Amino acid sequence: MPPSDTTAPLDIPAMRAAARALLADDARLPLEEDELETLTLQLRGHLMPALPVVEALADELPEDDPPRACANVAVMRARTRMSLAPGRTLPARVAYAQRLARSVSALCDHYENLSGGHPVVLDPQLVSLLGLWNHCLGCETCMATDEHGVNANLCCPAADALYEDYRRAPRHVDLTAVGGGGRP
């Protein structure tokens, strides 16, 4: 099958390189503010597509299979780390980015172990949802809060367009028909 917008193999070498920038013994720390912010966003960008892929691969295994349990723990840990705020000081932001890097590294390991290195085909609706989620998490308008700390529900044209893409995305891709997904 030729590559399409629903084929989303994880770029394992790029993911591992981003994680190594913060975790290697010879990593240059502390980073400059802009460099750290860019690397943190890059790590988050690697985690977002990896989470559903690794989770789907793990779900193909029997419920009592240890690799399934380990992969699910890594997915839950990565989601928790992504939900936390990075902190206000430079050391706190570096530590946050390093935790994200550890999750990226762990998900790379689980992806390779569970998929045998074969690309995994994602549901187009999931790809659209990830795009919307990625935008909203980084958008000041989408994340704006009122004086009580509740989301202000401000109008964001970019989020509206991404939501329409998500709403129009085809549902229920038969992964066996396209030869993708899961273990060979």
Side-chain angles (χ1 to χ4, degrees), residues 40-96:
T40 300
L41 290 172
Q42 184 181 25
L43 291 165
R44 291 178 66 84
H46 286 312
L47 284 170
M48 291 209 298
L51 289 167
V53 170
V54 172
E55 190 170 42
L57 289 170
D59 286 347
E60 291 180 4
L61 300 174
E63 286 191 29
D64 61 345
D65 197 353
R68 176 183 176 148
C70 291
N72 284 333
V73 166
V75 167
M76 287 187 304
R77 183 174 290 154
R79 281 196 175 117
T80 300
R81 288 174 173 169
M82 286 183 63
S83 71
L84 300 173
R88 297 175 191 254
T89 66
L90 182 60
R93 288 194 297 278
V94 168
Y96 173 77

Side-chain angles (χ1 to χ4, degrees), residues 101-178:
R102 285 186 199 93
S103 285
V104 166
S105 182
L107 291 179
C108 286
D109 292 343
H110 289 294
Y111 174 79
E112 288 175 335
N113 290 336
L114 297 174
S115 73
H118 299 286
V120 175
V121 178
L122 289 179
D123 183 318
Q125 185 184 24
L126 180 60
V127 172
S128 298
L129 182 61
L130 287 171
L132 175 61
W133 187 37
N134 188 32
H135 165 78
C136 290
L137 286 174
C139 175
E140 289 182 22
T141 303
C142 293
M143 297 301 289
T145 58
D146 64 16
E147 65 275 0
H148 303 291
V150 177
N151 189 287
N153 291 320
L154 300 177
C155 180
C156 176
D160 291 343
L162 289 166
Y163 176 75
E164 281 304 309
D165 289 345
Y166 163 71
R167 196 177 64 72
R168 289 190 205 130
R171 313 266 195 274
H172 309 293
V173 173
D174 181 3
L175 296 179
T176 58
V178 295

Side-chain angles (χ1 to χ4, degrees), residues 14-62:
M15 293 171 71
R16 289 198 184 279
R20 268 193 310 273
L22 286 165
L23 300 177
D25 291 336
D26 60 348
R28 187 179 48 84
L29 298 174
L31 302 168
E32 298 293 324
E33 289 281 335
D34 290 344
E35 185 181 8
L36 180 60
E37 182 177 348
T38 299
L39 192 52
T40 300
L41 290 172
Q42 184 181 25
L43 291 165
R44 291 178 66 84
H46 286 312
L47 284 170
M48 291 209 298
L51 289 167
V53 170
V54 172
E55 190 170 42
L57 289 170
D59 286 347
E60 291 180 4
L61 300 174

